[in-house]
């Protein structure tokens, strides 16, 4: 049985960051990853010609200071997302091509409802204490109803309601009826509000790392070296007065403390001894993931750019909920990213592989013309069935959960500490939030080590 100072479970960005900061501080650390790769809910594949494709999380934006600091540390530059040209919104089968932030070609009633809805959410977000959203003045009321309920009551235009439903529920890759209004407000507020979340330039899709997310996580893994153990799903964590025993597939080790960074949706798959406090154990049962498929469709060139289009489109309830230009910094080849979310993603998974491809390509042809019919490559990443992601790109809370169990999100359970983007009060749900949580947890375990030494 190996002995280390600290053990970290999960080699997504939260776990990689926690382990790296601990090693840089001179601590002996072991990072255990269930998959045969690092990156967690990010996943960069690189072709032989150097073209890279992000099959998971990909974008960065202003205010995400910790990922930018990490990129500076590792020498990874950014490049701006292609946003030139018109976007498209398809509602009730009608295509609206527009410039700017809102589809002005829709009816004035729908546009007014859309603008007022976004402004209302923006104002509600400003009342949320990000570290403790359950203490907001209206927390109890907002946690009692779902996002879907709120939209039905407050947005009278059906097209505007459907667009807001897609924009606000999209990050949780599930139906808006399954997401607490308070959770949505917390997550949006953590990034500065819905305008940031849905925006390209100056928003959450402002830029990307050159080389993809793999250009960041690969050198982190390399720096960790032998401290990183792949294909080691953790089965059991047992803590006692002196430390923690972590039992993984084919490996057991002893540490002073452990940081668990895997998604909340699957954190309950580990056996904890003694059992976790009730609030944390019950939280694991109440923060599910969702359903999302990210498809990268590759063409010889980004033909939509020459057609005056940005590549961004949105169509609620369709097999191609969102599209966005995903070209590398060179602009060639043309890479169109298709994101299918929530119930639409679940419906798409019921088709076989050939049917899914034909369906998605058909959606692209209807939006971008016949040139979209003949891609040279097609890559599908179904995160819904990723065993070690728990579905979706972020766990969420249904109604009533955040006010009851929210304080357990970050609180250590004895020698077991928690990280992961869902636990970050800033940029919750983004890669930056994962990095922040890893740095917080690393500081926590070292602070406890110092406090224990002072007592003894």
């Amino acid at each position: 049985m190996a002995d280390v100072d600290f053990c970290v479970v999960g080699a997504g960005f939260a776990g990689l960051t926690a382990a790296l900061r601990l090693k840089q501080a001179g601590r002996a650390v072991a990072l255990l990853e269930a998959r045969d790769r690092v990156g967690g809910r990010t996943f960069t594949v690189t072709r032989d010609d150097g073209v890279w494709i992000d099959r998971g999380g990909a974008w960065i934006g202003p205010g995400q200071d910790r990922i930018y600091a990490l990129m500076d540390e590792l020498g990874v530059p950014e490049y701006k997302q292609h946003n030139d040209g018109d976007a498209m919104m398809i509602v009730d089968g009608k295509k609206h091509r527009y410039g700017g932030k809102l589809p002005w070609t829709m009816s004035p009633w729908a546009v007014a409802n859309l603008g007022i809805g976004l402004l209302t959410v923006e104002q509600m977000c400003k009342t949320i204490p990000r570290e403790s959203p359950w203490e907001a003045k209206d927390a109890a009321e907002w946690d009692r109803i779902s996002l879907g309920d709120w939209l039905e009551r407050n947005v009278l235009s059906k097209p505007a309601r459907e667009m807001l439903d897609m924009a606000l529920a999209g990050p949780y890759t599930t139906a808006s009826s399954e997401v607490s209004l308070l959770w949505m407000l917390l997550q949006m507020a953590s990034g500065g509000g819905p305008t940031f979340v849905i925006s390209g330039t100056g928003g959450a899709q402002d830029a990307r790392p050159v080389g993809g997310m793999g250009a960041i996580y690969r050198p982190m893994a390399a720096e960790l070296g032998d401290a990183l153990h792949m294909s080691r799903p953790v089965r059991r964590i047992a803590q006692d007065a002196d430390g923690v025993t972590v039992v993984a597939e084919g490996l057991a080790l002893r540490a002073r403390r452990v940081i668990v960074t895997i998604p909340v949706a699957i954190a309950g798959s580990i056996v904890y001894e003694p059992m976790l406090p009730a609030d944390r154990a019950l939280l694991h049962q109440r923060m599910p993931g969702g359903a999302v498929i990210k498809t990268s469709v590759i063409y010889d060139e980004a033909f939509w750019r020459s057609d005056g289009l940005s590549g961004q489109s949105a169509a609620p309830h369709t097999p191609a909920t969102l599209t966005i230009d995903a070209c590398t910094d060179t602009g060639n080849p043309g890479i169109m990213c298709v994101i299918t979310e929530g119930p639409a993603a679940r419906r798409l998974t019921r088709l076989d592989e050939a049917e899914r491809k034909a369906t998605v390509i058909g959606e692209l042809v209807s939006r971008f013309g016949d040139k979209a019919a003949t891609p040279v490559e097609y890559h599908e990443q179904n995160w819904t069935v990723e065993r070690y992601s728990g579905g979706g790109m972020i766990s969420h809370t249904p109604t009533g959960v955040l006010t009851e169990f929210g304080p357990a999100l970050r609180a250590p359970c004895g020698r077991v500490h928690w990280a992961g983007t869902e636990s970050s009060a800033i940029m919750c749900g983004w890669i930056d939030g994962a990095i922040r949580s890893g740095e917080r947890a690393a500081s926590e375990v070292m602070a406890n080590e110092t406090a224990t030494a002072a007592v003894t």
Side-chain angles (χ1 to χ4, degrees), residues 136-350:
K137 176 177 175 290
D138 297 305
E141 177 186 347
W142 290 344
D143 206 29
R144 274 198 301 268
I145 64 171
S146 71
L147 169 58
D149 291 335
W150 184 86
L151 290 170
E152 286 286 342
R153 298 175 190 178
N154 292 275
V155 183
L156 301 180
S157 163
K158 182 175 181 288
R161 188 165 60 247
E162 288 190 343
M163 285 193 295
L164 283 171
D165 186 297
M166 176 184 61
L168 300 177
Y172 323 118
T173 61
T174 192
S176 59
S177 60
E178 298 180 274
V179 179
S180 158
L181 175 63
L182 182 62
W183 173 263
M184 183 276 293
L185 293 172
L186 161 65
Q187 197 266 329
M188 296 277 168
S190 78
T195 300
F196 173 82
V197 176
I198 65 176
S199 294
T201 303
Q205 288 76 233
D206 182 75
R208 298 177 67 187
V210 174
M213 286 298 162
I216 308 173
Y217 66 64
R218 286 174 187 142
M220 295 174 76
E223 189 170 340
L224 285 165
D226 293 342
L228 174 61
H229 303 268
M230 309 292 288
S231 301
R232 301 289 189 183
V234 171
R235 309 300 189 194
R236 178 172 169 266
I237 296 174
Q239 58 175 313
D240 54 47
D242 300 317
V244 182
T245 300
V246 181
V247 179
E249 189 74 26
L251 176 69
L253 55 85
R254 185 77 176 163
R256 297 175 189 172
R257 291 178 179 271
V258 60
I259 301 172
V260 177
T261 74
I262 61 178
V264 184
I266 59 170
S269 63
I270 297 173
V271 174
Y272 301 89
E273 296 182 5
M275 291 186 67
L276 296 173
D279 282 1
R280 182 71 202 195
L282 293 171
L283 182 70
H284 289 171
Q285 300 174 19
R286 287 162 168 79
M287 282 194 72
V292 62
I293 301 172
K294 186 174 183 182
T295 306
S296 301
V297 189
I298 304 178
Y299 298 92
D300 288 326
E301 61 179 358
F303 59 84
W304 51 90
R305 296 186 179 186
S306 57
D307 292 340
L309 294 167
S310 67
Q312 294 182 31
S313 71
H317 315 306
T318 70
T321 318
L322 301 166
T323 70
I324 187 169
D325 183 311
C327 296
T328 71
D329 54 310
T330 67
N332 283 303
I335 305 175
M336 179 65 75
C337 171
V338 180
I339 300 173
T340 313
E341 298 170 338
R346 299 203 305 268
R347 289 193 295 272
L348 197 59
T349 62
R350 296 169 194 153

Side-chain angles (χ1 to χ4, degrees), residues 78-97:
E78 69 164 357
Y79 72 101
K80 292 297 183 179
Q81 169 67 28
H82 175 79
N83 285 312
D84 296 339
D86 292 341
M88 271 187 281
M89 185 77 69
I90 298 92
V91 182
D92 290 335
K94 185 176 181 181
K95 186 187 301 181
H96 302 272
R97 177 171 170 165

